[in-house]
Structure formats: structure tokens, C-alpha cells
Amino acid sequence: MKRLAVFLSYREEDRGEGVEQAQALREDLLRYGVDAHMARHDVSPMADLPHTVMELIRSSSALVCLASEGFSSSPWCQQEVGFALGRGIPVFWAKLCATETPTGLLTGQLAHQPSNGKPTTKAVTDWLVQQSDLRTELVASLGQGLSASRSYSDSRTLARILQGIGTLTQDEWDLIRFRASTNNQVSDAVVGEVPLLEHLEDSLRIVQELP
């Protein structure tokens, strides 16, 4: 199954919060099995920058705006957002500055404002779960994330995201359980006193096929 790819749009000139949030989000999503594209990591210095960025967005299934100060007035950022919208790619707006609100075709969209109580990564994964068209790719990514998880904490986070999806096919669950059971960071993890995989299976609706 194809894994989920997400493009991170941020203002490169901003050496502060925008870049830091993009870096942190990229690292989290990669650990969760999601291919997170960020220009400074995915574009070679010798590459044609506009063409490469367009190809990265075209190959992505979602775009996340890390809207630090100046994001809305950045022609580059606005072109990335417009290119995604023109191809029907869903866009999430993380409001990192009080003056940065969704504009243009995104006007009226609810913006997420990060806080200590709800970090951007959780808000983004919660939003991805709500995008029904991304479901199959997200499930594939989370299964990959569980098989490669390096901590009990990440394993529990991945299980929580899967719980948000709610329903898996029997084939999807069998593959996730098989791959995850070989990783002791999953098989040895517990929720309370219940093994994590057992807890996850009990909390999911397993069906033979989706409606």
C-alpha cells in the first residue's frame, strides 16, 4: 500500500519559529511512517528549485502551512498553497503568528494555533485522520510507523492515531499486527496493564471490507 506523503510549506527566510516547527513536525511525521517533504531537505542545491518543489507537492496527498510572520505575504508560500489547491490537495493551516490567518481560497478555514497543551503534530495527525480520502495511505503509514517504532511512547501515539481512524479491514489489521508484533517496542508496550496490541484491537472495529 502507498504511504501518505505530506508537503510542509514554510517561510525559508524565517529562521525562527516557522523553520523550527517545520523541522519538528517533519521529524515526528517521519517517525510515524509519513513521508514529510521539506524543501531544505528534499531539494538538492543543484536542482531546479521551482520544478522540484512542484513535483514534491504533486506527489503529496496533503499540504501543511507553518504560517509564521510574513507567510501570507510570501509569493513563494502562496504559490505552494495555490498549486496544492489547484490539484485538490487538502491544506492545513497552523497559525504561528497572530496576524497570519488563512487567505484567498482558504479564507474562513479554521486555523490551528499551537499551544503547550496541543502541539502542532497532534493537531496535524488529528486533521489527517478526518480526511477520508487519505485513509488508506494513512493506515499504511501508521503500520510502517509501528513496525519501526523505537519507543513505547511512539507506539502508544501511533495506536492513538489508529484509534482515531476507528475502522480497519481484517486484512489491514492482520498486516499491522504481524509487522508490529516483531517490534518489541510495540509487543512489550502496555496501556495500563493491557498489552498495547490487545488494547488497540479491542478499541477498533474490524470488518471484512469497507462499505
Side-chain angles (χ1 to χ4, degrees):
M1 288 187 293
K2 178 186 175 185
R3 287 165 50 189
L4 181 65
V6 175
F7 184 87
L8 307 182
S9 180
Y10 62 98
R11 188 168 175 266
E12 182 64 47
E13 296 82 2
D14 176 9
R15 302 297 177 181
E17 188 171 17
V19 173
E20 291 174 2
Q21 285 271 13
Q23 293 271 30
L25 178 58
R26 175 179 180 270
E27 292 171 6
D28 287 345
L29 292 177
L30 289 173
R31 292 204 320 277
Y32 300 164
V34 175
D35 293 327
H37 297 311
M38 188 174 173
R40 63 165 48 194
H41 293 287
D42 293 279
V43 180
S44 165
M46 302 301 292
D48 179 331
L49 181 59
H51 174 76
T52 305
V53 167
M54 285 191 293
E55 286 302 310
L56 287 172
I57 296 174
R58 187 179 284 113
S59 67
S60 298
S61 297
L63 182 143
V64 173
C65 303
L66 285 306
S68 58
E69 185 174 2
F71 184 93
S72 297
S73 59
S74 165
W76 190 266
C77 294
Q78 291 308 300
Q79 287 172 18
E80 291 175 345
V81 173
F83 190 77
L85 290 173
R87 279 145 189 81
I89 296 172
V91 174
F92 177 88
W93 188 284
K95 184 177 180 179
L96 306 185
C97 174
T99 59
E100 293 298 326
T101 55
T103 59
L105 294 175
L106 292 175
T107 300
Q109 177 175 310
L110 183 64
H112 163 65
Q113 190 158 359
S115 67
N116 291 334
K118 190 176 183 183
T120 295
T121 300
K122 183 178 184 301
V124 169
T125 55
D126 287 350
W127 174 76
L128 289 171
V129 166
Q130 296 168 11
Q131 309 306 304
S132 58
D133 289 346
L134 307 184
R135 180 202 168 281
T136 301
E137 294 176 14
L138 181 57
V139 169
S141 287
L142 297 174
Q144 173 64 31
L146 279 171
S147 68
S149 176
R150 296 184 178 181
S151 72
Y152 293 154
S153 177
D154 278 354
S155 298
R156 294 189 188 98
T157 297
L158 286 157
R160 176 190 64 76
I161 301 171
L162 277 167
Q163 287 174 317
I165 294 173
T167 301
L168 296 182
T169 67
Q170 188 66 59
D171 287 344
E172 287 173 335
W173 172 245
D174 288 344
L175 180 59
I176 287 173
R177 183 173 54 187
F178 172 75
R179 296 178 69 181
S181 64
T182 62
N183 181 354
N184 62 8
Q185 295 300 316
V186 180
S187 59
D188 294 346
V190 296
V191 176
E193 297 182 354
V194 180
L196 179 62
L197 285 175
E198 181 180 331
H199 170 79
L200 180 56
E201 183 172 16
D202 288 344
S203 66
L204 291 169
R205 178 172 174 255
I206 311 295
V207 298
Q208 288 303 312
E209 59 182 33
L210 296 172

